[in-house]
Amino acid sequence: MKRHPFEKYLITRDNYLEKPYDVIEMSKTLIYNKNPNFPGVRTDNLLSSPDPEIKRFAEWFTNELSYDVFPGISMYETFLCFHKYNLFNDEQYNTGWVHTDYGNLAGLIYLTPGEDNINTGTSIFEGDGLTTELPTDKLALEEFYINGNVTEDFKTGFERNRELFANKESVRVGNKFNRLVAYDSKMWHRPNYYGTSINQTRLSLLFFISQFDYIGRN
């Protein structure tokens, strides 16, 4: 895999958005959809929105990524969306799988007002030597993410995922309202809980950067 200047990079920034409640209100106007590749529901790419206000916000935010979050990147392709998790009936499966993301860079802003808990955020794991493809059953994951059904194949994969990363957690970032977290997308990570400690929806603004040029800082 081609290396890049932000390999193993992790940054957090509190109170990131100046008007986070306006962004939350924006999130309520959009349609969310399930996908067989991840738990919860997401909007379409905000950069493609026909709503001029949403598109202005998306363009502003992606510009900030090259200045404030990943300084020096240019010509980057970004997917920006809102994400909400659904809680599943079996509580033990409301912890995410340790995984990597597509592309090169990723991150999110936690947007649940009042939440401030170390155990409902994101953890980073050591995974040197592991490939980005874990031994999981794709159909079992799809059945869980779309229909919430826990199959025997899903149970086996879930336990195998836990075994692979047992005692390998290296960083735990708490879910704090309006906190930004950004990282090298090939760092192993997971959401530590699909809900929140205050029994409110775990809402976040997600971003993925699939490729970019790097010009460095002036």
Side-chain angles (χ1 to χ4, degrees), residues 122-152:
T122 304
S123 282
I124 304 295
F125 292 81
E126 297 295 334
D128 293 342
L130 292 175
T131 68
T132 57
E133 295 296 327
L134 291 180
T136 57
D137 189 305
K138 182 176 175 60
L139 292 179
L141 285 172
E142 291 180 2
E143 183 65 21
F144 182 68
Y145 294 155
I146 297 297
N147 299 314
N149 294 329
V150 178
T151 64
E152 289 302 315

PDB file of all heavy atoms in Angstrom, residues 122-152:
ATOM      1  N   THR A 122     -14.643   6.468  20.248  1.00  0.00           N
ATOM      2  CA  THR A 122     -13.900   5.700  19.250  1.00  0.00           C
ATOM      3  C   THR A 122     -12.586   5.213  19.836  1.00  0.00           C
ATOM      4  O   THR A 122     -11.886   5.974  20.516  1.00  0.00           O
ATOM      5  CB  THR A 122     -13.606   6.578  18.017  1.00  0.00           C
ATOM      6  OG1 THR A 122     -14.839   7.101  17.509  1.00  0.00           O
ATOM      7  CG2 THR A 122     -12.898   5.784  16.933  1.00  0.00           C
ATOM      8  N   SER A 123     -12.222   3.968  19.566  1.00  0.00           N
ATOM      9  CA  SER A 123     -10.939   3.427  20.011  1.00  0.00           C
ATOM     10  C   SER A 123     -10.062   3.066  18.819  1.00  0.00           C
ATOM     11  O   SER A 123     -10.557   2.637  17.770  1.00  0.00           O
ATOM     12  CB  SER A 123     -11.132   2.193  20.889  1.00  0.00           C
ATOM     13  OG  SER A 123     -11.507   2.552  22.193  1.00  0.00           O
ATOM     14  N   ILE A 124      -8.763   3.234  19.012  1.00  0.00           N
ATOM     15  CA  ILE A 124      -7.748   2.854  18.026  1.00  0.00           C
ATOM     16  C   ILE A 124      -7.038   1.617  18.547  1.00  0.00           C
ATOM     17  O   ILE A 124      -6.724   1.515  19.744  1.00  0.00           O
ATOM     18  CB  ILE A 124      -6.732   4.001  17.816  1.00  0.00           C
ATOM     19  CG1 ILE A 124      -7.444   5.298  17.420  1.00  0.00           C
ATOM     20  CG2 ILE A 124      -5.684   3.598  16.776  1.00  0.00           C
ATOM     21  CD1 ILE A 124      -8.140   5.261  16.085  1.00  0.00           C
ATOM     22  N   PHE A 125      -6.740   0.682  17.638  1.00  0.00           N
ATOM     23  CA  PHE A 125      -6.108  -0.583  18.016  1.00  0.00           C
ATOM     24  C   PHE A 125      -4.814  -0.806  17.238  1.00  0.00           C
ATOM     25  O   PHE A 125      -4.689  -0.383  16.083  1.00  0.00           O
ATOM     26  CB  PHE A 125      -7.058  -1.754  17.744  1.00  0.00           C
ATOM     27  CG  PHE A 125      -8.265  -1.774  18.621  1.00  0.00           C
ATOM     28  CD1 PHE A 125      -9.362  -0.966  18.342  1.00  0.00           C
ATOM     29  CD2 PHE A 125      -8.316  -2.600  19.728  1.00  0.00           C
ATOM     30  CE1 PHE A 125     -10.490  -0.980  19.151  1.00  0.00           C
ATOM     31  CE2 PHE A 125      -9.437  -2.619  20.545  1.00  0.00           C
ATOM     32  CZ  PHE A 125     -10.520  -1.809  20.264  1.00  0.00           C
ATOM     33  N   GLU A 126      -3.881  -1.482  17.871  1.00  0.00           N
ATOM     34  CA  GLU A 126      -2.682  -1.935  17.177  1.00  0.00           C
ATOM     35  C   GLU A 126      -3.054  -3.122  16.313  1.00  0.00           C
ATOM     36  O   GLU A 126      -3.750  -4.035  16.775  1.00  0.00           O
ATOM     37  CB  GLU A 126      -1.600  -2.339  18.181  1.00  0.00           C
ATOM     38  CG  GLU A 126      -1.102  -1.210  19.061  1.00  0.00           C
ATOM     39  CD  GLU A 126      -0.387  -0.117  18.271  1.00  0.00           C
ATOM     40  OE1 GLU A 126       0.158  -0.442  17.185  1.00  0.00           O
ATOM     41  OE2 GLU A 126      -0.362   1.033  18.727  1.00  0.00           O
ATOM     42  N   GLY A 127      -2.587  -3.105  15.058  1.00  0.00           N
ATOM     43  CA  GLY A 127      -2.930  -4.212  14.173  1.00  0.00           C
ATOM     44  C   GLY A 127      -1.839  -4.483  13.161  1.00  0.00           C
ATOM     45  O   GLY A 127      -2.126  -4.924  12.039  1.00  0.00           O
ATOM     46  N   ASP A 128      -0.580  -4.256  13.547  1.00  0.00           N
ATOM     47  CA  ASP A 128       0.529  -4.499  12.625  1.00  0.00           C
ATOM     48  C   ASP A 128       0.551  -5.957  12.195  1.00  0.00           C
ATOM     49  O   ASP A 128       0.419  -6.873  13.014  1.00  0.00           O
ATOM     50  CB  ASP A 128       1.860  -4.135  13.284  1.00  0.00           C
ATOM     51  CG  ASP A 128       1.990  -2.637  13.548  1.00  0.00           C
ATOM     52  OD1 ASP A 128       1.233  -1.878  12.920  1.00  0.00           O
ATOM     53  OD2 ASP A 128       2.816  -2.238  14.385  1.00  0.00           O
ATOM     54  N   GLY A 129       0.702  -6.150  10.903  1.00  0.00           N
ATOM     55  CA  GLY A 129       0.755  -7.505  10.371  1.00  0.00           C
ATOM     56  C   GLY A 129      -0.581  -8.015   9.877  1.00  0.00           C
ATOM     57  O   GLY A 129      -0.634  -9.020   9.159  1.00  0.00           O
ATOM     58  N   LEU A 130      -1.665  -7.352  10.274  1.00  0.00           N
ATOM     59  CA  LEU A 130      -2.980  -7.758   9.789  1.00  0.00           C
ATOM     60  C   LEU A 130      -3.279  -7.088   8.455  1.00  0.00           C
ATOM     61  O   LEU A 130      -2.883  -5.945   8.227  1.00  0.00           O
ATOM     62  CB  LEU A 130      -4.066  -7.378  10.794  1.00  0.00           C
ATOM     63  CG  LEU A 130      -4.061  -8.122  12.126  1.00  0.00           C
ATOM     64  CD1 LEU A 130      -5.126  -7.545  13.041  1.00  0.00           C
ATOM     65  CD2 LEU A 130      -4.307  -9.607  11.922  1.00  0.00           C
ATOM     66  N   THR A 131      -3.986  -7.773   7.596  1.00  0.00           N
ATOM     67  CA  THR A 131      -4.410  -7.166   6.343  1.00  0.00           C
ATOM     68  C   THR A 131      -5.684  -6.381   6.585  1.00  0.00           C
ATOM     69  O   THR A 131      -6.289  -6.454   7.657  1.00  0.00           O
ATOM     70  CB  THR A 131      -4.665  -8.232   5.268  1.00  0.00           C
ATOM     71  OG1 THR A 131      -5.814  -8.987   5.643  1.00  0.00           O
ATOM     72  CG2 THR A 131      -3.464  -9.145   5.121  1.00  0.00           C
ATOM     73  N   THR A 132      -6.123  -5.619   5.600  1.00  0.00           N
ATOM     74  CA  THR A 132      -7.377  -4.872   5.733  1.00  0.00           C
ATOM     75  C   THR A 132      -8.590  -5.771   5.535  1.00  0.00           C
ATOM     76  O   THR A 132      -9.706  -5.321   5.702  1.00  0.00           O
ATOM     77  CB  THR A 132      -7.434  -3.716   4.718  1.00  0.00           C
ATOM     78  OG1 THR A 132      -7.270  -4.240   3.395  1.00  0.00           O
ATOM     79  CG2 THR A 132      -6.340  -2.695   5.007  1.00  0.00           C
ATOM     80  N   GLU A 133      -8.353  -7.035   5.172  1.00  0.00           N
ATOM     81  CA  GLU A 133      -9.461  -7.970   5.000  1.00  0.00           C
ATOM     82  C   GLU A 133      -9.467  -8.965   6.157  1.00  0.00           C
ATOM     83  O   GLU A 133      -8.591  -9.806   6.270  1.00  0.00           O
ATOM     84  CB  GLU A 133      -9.329  -8.713   3.661  1.00  0.00           C
ATOM     85  CG  GLU A 133      -9.446  -7.811   2.448  1.00  0.00           C
ATOM     86  CD  GLU A 133     -10.820  -7.167   2.330  1.00  0.00           C
ATOM     87  OE1 GLU A 133     -11.814  -7.816   2.735  1.00  0.00           O
ATOM     88  OE2 GLU A 133     -10.896  -6.039   1.845  1.00  0.00           O
ATOM     89  N   LEU A 134     -10.456  -8.853   7.042  1.00  0.00           N
ATOM     90  CA  LEU A 134     -10.564  -9.766   8.169  1.00  0.00           C
ATOM     91  C   LEU A 134     -11.426 -10.972   7.795  1.00  0.00           C
ATOM     92  O   LEU A 134     -12.260 -10.894   6.899  1.00  0.00           O
ATOM     93  CB  LEU A 134     -11.179  -9.042   9.368  1.00  0.00           C
ATOM     94  CG  LEU A 134     -10.314  -7.962  10.019  1.00  0.00           C
ATOM     95  CD1 LEU A 134     -11.060  -7.330  11.182  1.00  0.00           C
ATOM     96  CD2 LEU A 134      -9.002  -8.531  10.507  1.00  0.00           C
ATOM     97  N   PRO A 135     -11.226 -12.078   8.485  1.00  0.00           N
ATOM     98  CA  PRO A 135     -12.019 -13.282   8.187  1.00  0.00           C
ATOM     99  C   PRO A 135     -13.447 -13.160   8.709  1.00  0.00           C
ATOM    100  O   PRO A 135     -13.789 -13.668   9.771  1.00  0.00           O
ATOM    101  CB  PRO A 135     -11.246 -14.385   8.922  1.00  0.00           C
ATOM    102  CG  PRO A 135     -10.591 -13.669  10.064  1.00  0.00           C
ATOM    103  CD  PRO A 135     -10.214 -12.311   9.521  1.00  0.00           C
ATOM    104  N   THR A 136     -14.278 -12.450   7.967  1.00  0.00           N
ATOM    105  CA  THR A 136     -15.676 -12.264   8.351  1.00  0.00           C
ATOM    106  C   THR A 136     -16.576 -12.726   7.216  1.00  0.00           C
ATOM    107  O   THR A 136     -16.161 -12.798   6.060  1.00  0.00           O
ATOM    108  CB  THR A 136     -15.977 -10.788   8.665  1.00  0.00           C
ATOM    109  OG1 THR A 136     -15.637  -9.991   7.516  1.00  0.00           O
ATOM    110  CG2 THR A 136     -15.170 -10.299   9.858  1.00  0.00           C
ATOM    111  N   ASP A 137     -17.798 -13.028   7.570  1.00  0.00           N
ATOM    112  CA  ASP A 137     -18.778 -13.465   6.592  1.00  0.00           C
ATOM    113  C   ASP A 137     -19.570 -12.256   6.113  1.00  0.00           C
ATOM    114  O   ASP A 137     -20.340 -11.679   6.868  1.00  0.00           O
ATOM    115  CB  ASP A 137     -19.708 -14.501   7.224  1.00  0.00           C
ATOM    116  CG  ASP A 137     -20.623 -15.154   6.194  1.00  0.00           C
ATOM    117  OD1 ASP A 137     -21.329 -14.411   5.481  1.00  0.00           O
ATOM    118  OD2 ASP A 137     -20.633 -16.385   6.114  1.00  0.00           O
ATOM    119  N   LYS A 138     -19.385 -11.876   4.852  1.00  0.00           N
ATOM    120  CA  LYS A 138     -20.020 -10.677   4.310  1.00  0.00           C
ATOM    121  C   LYS A 138     -21.542 -10.759   4.366  1.00  0.00           C
ATOM    122  O   LYS A 138     -22.218  -9.793   4.732  1.00  0.00           O
ATOM    123  CB  LYS A 138     -19.557 -10.455   2.866  1.00  0.00           C
ATOM    124  CG  LYS A 138     -20.119  -9.190   2.220  1.00  0.00           C
ATOM    125  CD  LYS A 138     -19.535  -8.989   0.829  1.00  0.00           C
ATOM    126  CE  LYS A 138     -20.177  -7.808   0.134  1.00  0.00           C
ATOM    127  NZ  LYS A 138     -19.992  -6.546   0.859  1.00  0.00           N
ATOM    128  N   LEU A 139     -22.089 -11.922   4.031  1.00  0.00           N
ATOM    129  CA  LEU A 139     -23.543 -12.067   4.048  1.00  0.00           C
ATOM    130  C   LEU A 139     -24.095 -11.965   5.468  1.00  0.00           C
ATOM    131  O   LEU A 139     -25.184 -11.421   5.690  1.00  0.00           O
ATOM    132  CB  LEU A 139     -23.938 -13.401   3.417  1.00  0.00           C
ATOM    133  CG  LEU A 139     -23.684 -13.529   1.912  1.00  0.00           C
ATOM    134  CD1 LEU A 139     -24.089 -14.915   1.417  1.00  0.00           C
ATOM    135  CD2 LEU A 139     -24.435 -12.455   1.143  1.00  0.00           C
ATOM    136  N   ALA A 140     -23.340 -12.476   6.446  1.00  0.00           N
ATOM    137  CA  ALA A 140     -23.778 -12.393   7.846  1.00  0.00           C
ATOM    138  C   ALA A 140     -23.784 -10.944   8.315  1.00  0.00           C
ATOM    139  O   ALA A 140     -24.689 -10.517   9.044  1.00  0.00           O
ATOM    140  CB  ALA A 140     -22.873 -13.242   8.730  1.00  0.00           C
ATOM    141  N   LEU A 141     -22.775 -10.174   7.886  1.00  0.00           N
ATOM    142  CA  LEU A 141     -22.737  -8.759   8.233  1.00  0.00           C
ATOM    143  C   LEU A 141     -23.902  -8.013   7.595  1.00  0.00           C
ATOM    144  O   LEU A 141     -24.544  -7.180   8.239  1.00  0.00           O
ATOM    145  CB  LEU A 141     -21.407  -8.138   7.781  1.00  0.00           C
ATOM    146  CG  LEU A 141     -20.180  -8.472   8.631  1.00  0.00           C
ATOM    147  CD1 LEU A 141     -18.917  -7.948   7.955  1.00  0.00           C
ATOM    148  CD2 LEU A 141     -20.314  -7.880  10.021  1.00  0.00           C
ATOM    149  N   GLU A 142     -24.169  -8.293   6.339  1.00  0.00           N
ATOM    150  CA  GLU A 142     -25.277  -7.638   5.649  1.00  0.00           C
ATOM    151  C   GLU A 142     -26.603  -7.937   6.343  1.00  0.00           C
ATOM    152  O   GLU A 142     -27.441  -7.043   6.515  1.00  0.00           O
ATOM    153  CB  GLU A 142     -25.322  -8.094   4.187  1.00  0.00           C
ATOM    154  CG  GLU A 142     -24.164  -7.583   3.345  1.00  0.00           C
ATOM    155  CD  GLU A 142     -24.241  -8.058   1.911  1.00  0.00           C
ATOM    156  OE1 GLU A 142     -25.242  -8.759   1.582  1.00  0.00           O
ATOM    157  OE2 GLU A 142     -23.338  -7.749   1.120  1.00  0.00           O
ATOM    158  N   GLU A 143     -26.793  -9.175   6.747  1.00  0.00           N
ATOM    159  CA  GLU A 143     -28.029  -9.557   7.419  1.00  0.00           C
ATOM    160  C   GLU A 143     -28.183  -8.820   8.753  1.00  0.00           C
ATOM    161  O   GLU A 143     -29.285  -8.423   9.144  1.00  0.00           O
ATOM    162  CB  GLU A 143     -28.046 -11.072   7.649  1.00  0.00           C
ATOM    163  CG  GLU A 143     -29.316 -11.611   8.285  1.00  0.00           C
ATOM    164  CD  GLU A 143     -30.555 -11.449   7.414  1.00  0.00           C
ATOM    165  OE1 GLU A 143     -30.417 -11.287   6.179  1.00  0.00           O
ATOM    166  OE2 GLU A 143     -31.663 -11.484   7.976  1.00  0.00           O
ATOM    167  N   PHE A 144     -27.063  -8.603   9.433  1.00  0.00           N
ATOM    168  CA  PHE A 144     -27.091  -7.882  10.704  1.00  0.00           C
ATOM    169  C   PHE A 144     -27.344  -6.401  10.484  1.00  0.00           C
ATOM    170  O   PHE A 144     -28.202  -5.791  11.143  1.00  0.00           O
ATOM    171  CB  PHE A 144     -25.768  -8.089  11.432  1.00  0.00           C
ATOM    172  CG  PHE A 144     -25.705  -7.424  12.781  1.00  0.00           C
ATOM    173  CD1 PHE A 144     -26.499  -7.868  13.833  1.00  0.00           C
ATOM    174  CD2 PHE A 144     -24.848  -6.363  12.994  1.00  0.00           C
ATOM    175  CE1 PHE A 144     -26.430  -7.253  15.088  1.00  0.00           C
ATOM    176  CE2 PHE A 144     -24.770  -5.740  14.234  1.00  0.00           C
ATOM    177  CZ  PHE A 144     -25.569  -6.190  15.285  1.00  0.00           C
ATOM    178  N   TYR A 145     -26.623  -5.801   9.548  1.00  0.00           N
ATOM    179  CA  TYR A 145     -26.736  -4.360   9.329  1.00  0.00           C
ATOM    180  C   TYR A 145     -28.086  -3.949   8.744  1.00  0.00           C
ATOM    181  O   TYR A 145     -28.630  -2.892   9.082  1.00  0.00           O
ATOM    182  CB  TYR A 145     -25.623  -3.872   8.405  1.00  0.00           C
ATOM    183  CG  TYR A 145     -24.236  -3.982   8.997  1.00  0.00           C
ATOM    184  CD1 TYR A 145     -23.113  -4.080   8.174  1.00  0.00           C
ATOM    185  CD2 TYR A 145     -24.036  -3.985  10.373  1.00  0.00           C
ATOM    186  CE1 TYR A 145     -21.832  -4.171   8.709  1.00  0.00           C
ATOM    187  CE2 TYR A 145     -22.764  -4.088  10.913  1.00  0.00           C
ATOM    188  CZ  TYR A 145     -21.669  -4.182  10.071  1.00  0.00           C
ATOM    189  OH  TYR A 145     -20.409  -4.280  10.597  1.00  0.00           O
ATOM    190  N   ILE A 146     -28.638  -4.775   7.876  1.00  0.00           N
ATOM    191  CA  ILE A 146     -29.909  -4.430   7.221  1.00  0.00           C
ATOM    192  C   ILE A 146     -31.116  -4.857   8.050  1.00  0.00           C
ATOM    193  O   ILE A 146     -32.075  -4.096   8.225  1.00  0.00           O
ATOM    194  CB  ILE A 146     -29.990  -5.048   5.812  1.00  0.00           C
ATOM    195  CG1 ILE A 146     -28.877  -4.474   4.921  1.00  0.00           C
ATOM    196  CG2 ILE A 146     -31.356  -4.777   5.194  1.00  0.00           C
ATOM    197  CD1 ILE A 146     -28.969  -2.978   4.683  1.00  0.00           C
ATOM    198  N   ASN A 147     -31.068  -6.071   8.594  1.00  0.00           N
ATOM    199  CA  ASN A 147     -32.251  -6.618   9.264  1.00  0.00           C
ATOM    200  C   ASN A 147     -32.087  -6.801  10.769  1.00  0.00           C
ATOM    201  O   ASN A 147     -33.053  -7.151  11.459  1.00  0.00           O
ATOM    202  CB  ASN A 147     -32.616  -7.970   8.635  1.00  0.00           C
ATOM    203  CG  ASN A 147     -32.956  -7.835   7.158  1.00  0.00           C
ATOM    204  OD1 ASN A 147     -33.703  -6.945   6.767  1.00  0.00           O
ATOM    205  ND2 ASN A 147     -32.406  -8.712   6.342  1.00  0.00           N
ATOM    206  N   GLY A 148     -30.864  -6.600  11.272  1.00  0.00           N
ATOM    207  CA  GLY A 148     -30.637  -6.756  12.708  1.00  0.00           C
ATOM    208  C   GLY A 148     -30.616  -8.190  13.178  1.00  0.00           C
ATOM    209  O   GLY A 148     -30.721  -8.454  14.380  1.00  0.00           O
ATOM    210  N   ASN A 149     -30.459  -9.142  12.255  1.00  0.00           N
ATOM    211  CA  ASN A 149     -30.476 -10.552  12.608  1.00  0.00           C
ATOM    212  C   ASN A 149     -29.077 -11.061  12.933  1.00  0.00           C
ATOM    213  O   ASN A 149     -28.133 -10.860  12.164  1.00  0.00           O
ATOM    214  CB  ASN A 149     -31.058 -11.382  11.458  1.00  0.00           C
ATOM    215  CG  ASN A 149     -32.518 -11.063  11.215  1.00  0.00           C
ATOM    216  OD1 ASN A 149     -33.258 -10.718  12.139  1.00  0.00           O
ATOM    217  ND2 ASN A 149     -32.953 -11.169   9.970  1.00  0.00           N
ATOM    218  N   VAL A 150     -28.954 -11.737  14.071  1.00  0.00           N
ATOM    219  CA  VAL A 150     -27.676 -12.302  14.499  1.00  0.00           C
ATOM    220  C   VAL A 150     -27.632 -13.773  14.101  1.00  0.00           C
ATOM    221  O   VAL A 150     -28.290 -14.619  14.716  1.00  0.00           O
ATOM    222  CB  VAL A 150     -27.494 -12.158  16.021  1.00  0.00           C
ATOM    223  CG1 VAL A 150     -26.182 -12.794  16.457  1.00  0.00           C
ATOM    224  CG2 VAL A 150     -27.535 -10.690  16.415  1.00  0.00           C
ATOM    225  N   THR A 151     -26.887 -14.094  13.066  1.00  0.00           N
ATOM    226  CA  THR A 151     -26.743 -15.469  12.612  1.00  0.00           C
ATOM    227  C   THR A 151     -25.558 -16.127  13.318  1.00  0.00           C
ATOM    228  O   THR A 151     -24.741 -15.456  13.962  1.00  0.00           O
ATOM    229  CB  THR A 151     -26.524 -15.519  11.091  1.00  0.00           C
ATOM    230  OG1 THR A 151     -25.276 -14.859  10.787  1.00  0.00           O
ATOM    231  CG2 THR A 151     -27.648 -14.817  10.350  1.00  0.00           C
ATOM    232  N   GLU A 152     -25.442 -17.432  13.185  1.00  0.00           N
ATOM    233  CA  GLU A 152     -24.305 -18.139  13.773  1.00  0.00           C
ATOM    234  C   GLU A 152     -22.995 -17.686  13.136  1.00  0.00           C
ATOM    235  O   GLU A 152     -21.973 -17.572  13.818  1.00  0.00           O
ATOM    236  CB  GLU A 152     -24.474 -19.653  13.614  1.00  0.00           C
ATOM    237  CG  GLU A 152     -25.575 -20.238  14.487  1.00  0.00           C
ATOM    238  CD  GLU A 152     -25.354 -19.952  15.964  1.00  0.00           C
ATOM    239  OE1 GLU A 152     -24.208 -20.111  16.435  1.00  0.00           O
ATOM    240  OE2 GLU A 152     -26.326 -19.563  16.651  1.00  0.00           O
TER     241      GLU A 152
END
